[in-house]
Amino acid sequence: MEASKVIHAIYNDDDILMSAVKKVKAAKYHIDEVYTPFPVHGLDKAMGLAPTRIAIAAFLYGLVGLTVATVMMNFIMIEDWPQNIGGKPSFSYLENMPAFVPIMFELTVFFSAHLMVITFYLRSRMWPFKEAENPDPRTTDDHFLMEISVNGNEEALQSLLSETGAVEINLIDKAH
């Protein structure tokens, strides 16, 4: 098992963290990960992460929900068990579609939301009973941690991080 060294720089304010991320990226260091107790707006752009494609997946999942709703209502209310409800004709889906709009909307939102959550958990590899990968429990409360790999530049990196306002800097041996 090969071990490598990483530096954990801990911050106690999200604004200081954002400024530090920008300074570290400007100095051409690669930030492996940032752990925060809450989402920090703009952190993904400051780190240079690629934009997410979850919105495209949500649209496709919504289309699946709309299709399921349309096929389901056509089968149930028109083909399998036609009923005269409130004087509406039961021989044509298109004539009944205004009455079906709330169901179409609800199933579109239902499928989109639930499949999007499942996709997020699978892409993030966050399945049930998974061990937490959080290196410091304080980052679930009120601290922010920036993890940077060390490649023979330990002193320069530590001095840069201390200039950015880190309250604590630790050198950690991390197993791959």
Side-chain angles (χ1 to χ4, degrees), residues 30-85:
H30 174 70
I31 300 171
D32 292 337
E33 189 66 72
V34 175
Y35 298 90
T36 65
F38 54 83
V40 177
H41 180 69
L43 185 61
D44 53 341
K45 286 186 178 40
M47 288 179 63
L49 299 176
T52 179
R53 295 185 302 263
I54 195 95
I56 297 167
F59 178 73
L60 295 174
Y61 296 152
L63 289 179
V64 169
L66 182 64
T67 303
V68 167
T70 303
V71 169
M72 178 189 77
M73 289 181 300
N74 183 56
F75 178 74
I76 292 171
M77 298 299 292
I78 306 301
E79 294 176 17
D80 187 44
W81 196 274
Q83 300 174 53
N84 186 349
I85 300 173

Side-chain angles (χ1 to χ4, degrees):
M1 183 179 284
E2 183 182 327
S4 63
K5 292 184 179 182
V6 294
I7 287 186
H8 287 172
I10 298 176
Y11 299 86
N12 57 7
D13 185 70
D14 57 331
D15 292 328
I16 296 172
L17 171 76
M18 279 295 289
S19 174
V21 165
K22 290 175 184 174
K23 288 176 185 172
V24 168
K25 291 301 280 186
K28 304 288 188 224
Y29 289 106
H30 174 70
I31 300 171
D32 292 337
E33 189 66 72
V34 175
Y35 298 90
T36 65
F38 54 83
V40 177
H41 180 69
L43 185 61
D44 53 341
K45 286 186 178 40
M47 288 179 63
L49 299 176
T52 179
R53 295 185 302 263
I54 195 95
I56 297 167
F59 178 73
L60 295 174
Y61 296 152
L63 289 179
V64 169
L66 182 64
T67 303
V68 167
T70 303
V71 169
M72 178 189 77
M73 289 181 300
N74 183 56
F75 178 74
I76 292 171
M77 298 299 292
I78 306 301
E79 294 176 17
D80 187 44
W81 196 274
Q83 300 174 53
N84 186 349
I85 300 173
K88 291 181 174 61
S90 58
F91 53 83
S92 169
Y93 180 82
L94 289 176
E95 289 179 319
N96 283 300
M97 199 162 60
F100 295 155
V101 167
I103 299 165
M104 293 161 59
F105 172 76
E106 291 297 333
L107 283 180
T108 299
V109 171
F110 178 86
F111 271 72
S112 182
H114 285 77
L115 292 175
M116 211 168 38
V117 167
I118 291 168
T119 300
F120 172 75
Y121 282 139
L122 290 176
R123 290 286 297 146
S124 300
R125 295 186 175 98
M126 292 177 23
W127 29 79
F129 311 112
K130 181 179 187 241
E131 283 288 324
E133 295 177 6
N134 195 355
D136 192 327
R138 293 177 292 177
T139 60
T140 62
D141 188 22
D142 62 349
H143 283 71
F144 305 83
L145 186 143
M146 184 188 325
E147 183 177 277
I148 304 169
S149 294
V150 176
N151 299 318
N153 52 3
E154 180 182 334
E155 293 82 16
L157 186 54
Q158 283 185 338
S159 68
L160 172 67
L161 291 171
S162 63
E163 290 171 15
T164 63
V167 294
E168 188 177 318
I169 301 170
N170 300 317
L171 183 65
I172 308 290
D173 281 331
K174 188 174 182 179
H176 277 275

